[in-house]
Amino acid sequence: MIGPPSDAAELIAHLETLRSEENVASMARFGIVTDRALGISNPDIKAVARVAKKDHVRAMQLWRSDIREARLLALYTAEPKRLTTEEAQNWADDFNSWEIVDCAADLFVEAGLDELISDFAADEREFIRRTAFAMIAGAAVHLKKEADSTILAWLPLIEAQAGDPRNFVRKAVNWALRSIGKRNLACHAPALALAKALTESPDKTARWIGKDAVRELAGAKLLARLR
């Protein structure tokens, strides 16, 4: 195992020793882009991150390697308070995998870069648009002190993009809607109302998103928890 401090090259060399071609093959079955993958599991990458510690400059260097595991390590070891809007946008330009997107979304939320959500939602690129809704889902769950009005203000974005049929977008839009609805009672009613409205949409994708969200949000178990 590596010992801190390590530079980017040392960390990448360490990751190379953990390579597993068998894991690369199995990752591809889950829709993970494996062109530049070493086949290291997320728990193992997180273990490396814990030892390596946060280092923002090094995270930027790791990202530029274009290796899946090094990019995940960059996301786990970047310093949220130092992450700028421009850096986040530059990273987003490279997004090509739902897995990278979802890890990055958590970092962007922690970094307080919520202003990027509307820009990302308006972007036609599949993985950048997914980032917007992964961020909404994450914010609804993790930003417990955030005003509900901030969370609810993203419902129109969900409605606007509910017709995007691309798999990684529609699933994230659905995820965002369900996450808002599960936040608390104040958010539940508006989210459920939108979900019900989407079930009546002439658009097939929007109807799927609405029906799936209603199934969860109208459940007795969830209502009991929220009350």
Side-chain angles (χ1 to χ4, degrees):
M1 186 56 190
I2 52 153
S6 300
D7 63 22
E10 288 172 331
L11 284 171
I12 291 170
H14 176 67
L15 291 172
E16 292 278 3
T17 69
L18 303 176
R19 178 191 289 270
S20 167
E21 296 303 331
E22 185 181 347
N23 286 351
V24 170
S26 64
M27 285 174 177
R29 293 197 290 272
F30 291 97
I32 293 172
V33 176
T34 57
D35 296 351
R36 296 276 288 155
L38 303 175
I40 306 170
S41 71
N42 256 305
D44 286 346
I45 299 169
K46 287 180 177 178
V48 174
R50 283 194 293 273
V51 176
K53 309 296 185 190
K54 302 279 189 185
D55 185 322
H56 200 67
V57 173
R58 187 186 61 201
M60 296 296 148
Q61 295 166 345
L62 287 167
W63 185 268
R64 286 195 288 273
S65 72
D66 194 28
I67 299 168
R68 168 195 173 263
E69 286 75 4
R71 285 190 162 175
L72 287 170
L73 191 56
L75 295 169
Y76 294 143
T77 58
E79 297 171 56
K81 290 179 181 176
R82 293 184 61 186
L83 187 69
T84 67
T85 300
E86 184 180 9
E87 287 168 346
Q89 288 170 323
N90 288 340
W91 279 4
D93 286 338
D94 293 332
F95 288 167
N96 64 351
S97 167
W98 65 265
E99 175 194 38
I100 293 286
V101 164
D102 294 358
C103 289
D106 286 342
L107 173 64
F108 294 174
V109 168
E110 190 178 353
L113 301 179
D114 300 353
E115 74 273 10
L116 288 173
I117 289 175
S118 58
D119 290 344
F120 285 164
D123 198 298
E124 290 295 331
R125 289 171 288 180
E126 182 174 10
F127 289 108
I128 295 187
R129 184 167 288 171
R130 180 185 174 89
T131 307
F133 297 100
M135 287 179 69
I136 292 172
V141 173
H142 299 298
L143 300 187
K144 300 187 187 302
K145 294 181 180 178
E146 188 66 60
D148 290 335
S149 57
T150 300
I151 307 297
L152 293 171
W154 292 318
L155 286 176
L157 287 180
I158 291 172
E159 185 173 16
Q161 301 301 343
D164 191 323
R166 293 174 294 181
N167 188 46
F168 294 117
V169 176
R170 73 186 180 98
K171 286 187 173 180
V173 173
N174 172 264
W175 177 23
L177 179 56
R178 290 185 293 108
S179 295
I180 291 175
K182 291 187 289 184
R183 178 178 168 87
N184 55 36
L185 270 180
C187 291
H188 177 265
L192 180 58
L194 175 55
K196 287 179 176 177
L198 291 176
T199 66
E200 304 297 326
S201 170
D203 183 89
K204 184 171 84 171
T205 302
R207 286 199 305 275
W208 175 83
I209 288 170
K211 288 176 182 177
D212 189 75
V214 167
R215 192 177 301 117
E216 183 169 14
L217 297 181
K221 190 178 291 186
L222 173 64
L223 288 168
R225 179 175 70 77
L226 292 178
R227 290 195 177 109

